[in-house]
Amino acid sequence: MPHILQVGLGDRSYPIYIDDGIMATIGADLARRQIAKRFVVIADDLVARLYGSTLLRSLRDAGIAAEILSFPQGEASKNLQVFADLSSRLAQMGIDRKDGLIALGGGVTGDLTGFLAASYLRGVPFIQVPTTLLSQVDSSVGGKTGVDIPEGKNLVGAFYQPKAVYIDTAVLTTLPLQELLGGLAEVIKYGVIRDYDFFVFLERHLDKLLCLDRESIQEMISTCCRIKAEVVAADERESDLRRILNFGHTIGHAVEAASDFTIIHGLAVAIGMVAALRLAVANELCKKQDAGRVAALINAFGLPTEIPTHLDRDRIKKYLLSDKKTVAGSVFYVLPTGIGTVMITNEVSESQVDAVLRGR
Ligand code: GLY
């Protein structure tokens, strides 16, 4: 039986289904729900090769017309040129408002396809089928869509919710280890920001999770999606509560950018979470013992906790100040006040930030 959750957004509410092998039953479910008679699956070339035929078969067997469009794999494709190319191809295929799009892939595919769905013909329905742990626990839920421009990541986009999210945990077996670890950083984030019991679950199930034990993985993903759904339902457009999801991301994004993106997002978030915990301890918001316990779990999952010494600290600071969430030159940090609760503050001194960037 799949885990079924709901993102409660009034008439834009939608379900999240989590199960091993669910890819093969998506067609039947979409046919029953009558979302569209024809779907275009959008995937990068690698994911299209791995899972495209399973998904197309599932759709066609259920009587749904389906085609696939692919684009070159990688963050470099999340741009306005690929967006324009895909838009033209949809128009050439005669896709109309009654048709739908399916994002099959990781965060790049989900963000790009979601933005395409929000904009093409001023909006067509879309479905998320995330295939990386990071996109399964974070980006496929909540309706943030968009592309990068040379001035920065995700600077052009829209809030646009999918009609459903189908999470197939079986696909994690083909995920490179680094990608899995990156996703686990976001998983730990949920425990720290909102759920002490989930944090304890992660401590206790560490070995099983790293071996991709089916039940533990499903429970883990389901809890993350439940927390994300609660937060998004309370604050869809990130004016308040949703900002807590940025725990570890303020310094994390700056580290990611200063490394010229050689440190992948999730690993940078792990480093950023430890840095935020140090800021919380320095401000007497969080007990040293709690901060140590979170850092120990991050480390036990094989994630980094320190900013690599070769990264230029001034460059990291420059990126911190230019973050798109910086307001009037003031950097806001999500700081834990214990395990399971956080607060958002800009009352962090420059000397504390300097000390943390030096790993102290
Ligand atoms: N990934 C953060 C958010 O969806 O708000």
Side-chain angles (χ1 to χ4, degrees):
M1 284 294 282
H3 291 246
I4 306 175
L5 303 158
Q6 186 80 1
V7 185
L9 288 167
D11 61 1
R12 290 175 299 118
S13 296
Y14 55 95
I16 305 169
Y17 301 98
I18 304 158
D19 205 1
D20 208 60
I22 203 168
M23 188 93 71
T25 64
I26 291 175
D29 196 64
L30 288 178
R32 188 179 53 75
R33 300 185 61 221
Q34 297 191 329
I35 291 172
K37 283 204 163 52
R38 182 184 182 194
F39 276 101
V40 179
V41 176
I42 303 204
D44 71 36
D45 39 19
L46 181 72
V47 172
R49 251 197 326 275
L50 283 171
Y51 301 115
S53 56
T54 308
L55 183 55
L56 285 180
R57 196 174 326 115
S58 157
L59 293 161
R60 289 175 184 156
D61 285 353
I64 296 174
E67 283 127 294
I68 189 160
L69 288 181
S70 65
F71 61 87
Q73 198 213 354
E75 179 81 28
S77 286
K78 201 175 125 178
N79 63 34
L80 288 166
Q81 188 53 54
V82 174
F83 172 85
D85 291 346
L86 290 169
S87 305
S88 295
R89 285 158 80 186
L90 293 179
Q92 286 153 13
M93 290 161 87
I95 297 301
D96 67 32
R97 281 215 185 103
K98 291 207 170 59
D99 301 327
L101 306 185
I102 300 182
L104 172 67
V108 167
T109 305
D111 288 8
L112 179 63
T113 308
F115 187 42
L116 198 57
S119 325
Y120 181 73
L121 301 179
R122 301 199 179 90
V124 293
F126 93 109
I127 305 293
Q128 288 273 20
V129 185
T131 59
T132 62
L133 181 58
L134 188 68
S135 57
Q136 293 185 341
V137 297
D138 183 21
S139 58
S140 66
V141 175
K144 279 191 180 174
T145 74
V147 294
D148 305 332
I149 55 174
E151 288 71 17
K153 285 176 77 174
N154 298 320
L155 289 189
V156 175
F159 285 101
Y160 191 68
Q161 301 293 340
K163 295 284 180 207
V165 182
Y166 295 89
I167 298 178
D168 189 340
T169 45
V171 304
L172 297 179
T173 52
T174 58
L175 196 64
L177 181 63
Q178 284 289 97
E179 297 276 333
L180 186 73
L181 291 176
L184 286 168
E186 299 279 354
V187 168
I188 296 170
K189 176 188 85 176
Y190 287 111
V192 181
I193 61 173
R194 220 161 143 91
D195 194 329
Y196 175 76
D197 290 345
F198 181 53
F199 184 86
V200 173
F201 167 88
L202 295 174
E203 286 182 324
R204 295 206 177 132
H205 291 76
L206 179 84
D207 292 338
K208 284 187 165 179
L209 291 168
L210 286 172
C211 297
L212 295 181
D213 168 70
R214 188 190 297 187
E215 265 181 41
S216 312
I217 285 283
Q218 286 188 7
E219 183 165 346
M220 176 189 87
I221 293 176
S222 168
T223 306
C224 295
C225 289
R226 174 185 52 75
I227 298 172
K228 176 113 194 213
E230 280 167 15
V231 171
V232 168
D235 175 26
E236 182 184 7
R237 289 181 167 252
E238 198 171 306
S239 48
D240 187 25
L241 181 71
R242 188 163 180 167
R243 297 197 292 160
I244 69 173
L245 298 173
N246 297 325
F247 169 53
H249 286 59
T250 313
I251 293 179
H253 275 152
V255 166
E256 191 184 358
S259 78
D260 294 316
F261 297 92
T262 53
I263 301 180
I264 66 166
H265 178 75
L267 304 197
V269 168
I271 294 170
M273 289 195 291
V274 175
L277 283 156
R278 288 184 181 143
L279 284 178
V281 172
N283 281 284
E284 297 178 357
L285 296 170
C286 174
K287 286 194 232 132
K288 207 169 175 181
Q289 191 191 348
D290 284 342
R293 193 168 157 194
V294 178
L297 183 65
I298 291 173
N299 186 46
F301 269 111
L303 288 159
T305 55
E306 306 301 327
I307 303 172
T309 44
H310 70 271
L311 285 192
D312 180 351
R313 268 45 188 176
D314 290 335
R315 240 185 121 202
I316 299 177
K317 265 180 91 173
K318 194 189 92 202
Y319 282 114
L320 261 182
L321 289 169
S322 64
D323 192 284
K324 74 170 181 296
K325 292 181 175 96
T326 298
V327 181
S330 185
V331 184
F332 283 82
Y333 294 90
V334 181
L335 301 186
T337 50
I339 300 177
T341 51
V342 285
M343 64 174 287
I344 298 174
T345 179
N346 61 352
E347 286 174 17
V348 172
S349 71
E350 195 173 342
S351 61
Q352 284 171 342
V353 175
D354 286 339
V356 159
L357 293 184
R358 274 163 187 76
R360 277 183 255 129

